[in-house]
């Protein structure tokens, strides 16, 4: 995935996900929203302009607790942590795009 092809000034980025090897996502709690793979739901990374901290949000529903309470000081760190989080669940990040929502 080429992060450097994105507009680095974007305060809201959509993180596209895909199941690795067409296998089911691995989860012990059932907290993986399968609509993330169909485009019905999207994971957003947003920066708070007052605190300059990054957080993640779903368009629909709540992100799992382990991600909900996290704050990141840089998008690169957020990306790395999400890669590890999703890799453990048999999911990979395929693309990061600037959000079209205001």
């Amino acid at each position: 995935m080429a992060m450097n092809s994105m507009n680095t000034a974007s305060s809201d980025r959509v993180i596209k996900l895909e199941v690795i090897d067409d296998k089911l996502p691995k989860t012990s709690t059932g907290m993986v929203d399968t609509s993330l793979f169909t485009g019905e739901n999207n994971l957003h990374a947003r920066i708070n302009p007052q605190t300059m901290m990054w957080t993640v949000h779903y368009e629909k529903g709540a992100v799992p607790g382990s991600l909900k309470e996290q704050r990141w000081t840089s998008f690169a760190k957020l990306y790395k942590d999400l890669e590890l989080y999703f890799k453990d669940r048999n999911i990979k990040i395929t693309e990061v795009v600037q959000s079209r929502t205001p």
Side-chain angles (χ1 to χ4, degrees), residues 4-86:
N4 56 0
S5 64
M6 297 230 357
N7 177 355
T8 56
S10 174
S11 62
D12 184 3
R13 301 173 189 183
V14 177
I15 300 166
K16 303 287 185 174
L17 304 170
E18 181 178 284
V19 178
I20 297 172
D21 299 329
D22 295 324
K23 296 179 183 174
L24 292 176
K26 297 175 186 172
T27 177
S28 60
T29 61
M31 294 296 289
V32 176
D33 180 357
T34 56
S35 67
L36 292 168
F37 316 123
T38 64
E40 296 173 39
N41 199 1
N42 287 301
L43 179 65
H44 286 253
R46 294 184 181 131
I47 192 166
N48 180 320
Q50 294 176 333
T51 64
M52 298 306 292
M53 300 293 280
W54 287 90
T55 56
V56 293
H57 308 273
Y58 287 153
E59 287 178 1
K60 303 172 192 166
V63 296
S66 58
L67 293 176
K68 183 179 182 178
E69 301 302 322
Q70 293 280 336
R71 303 290 181 266
W72 293 268
T73 56
S74 72
F75 182 80
K77 177 64 175 153
L78 175 147
Y79 184 89
K80 181 179 176 185
D81 287 352
L82 287 180
E83 267 188 322
L84 293 172
Y85 176 86
F86 285 115

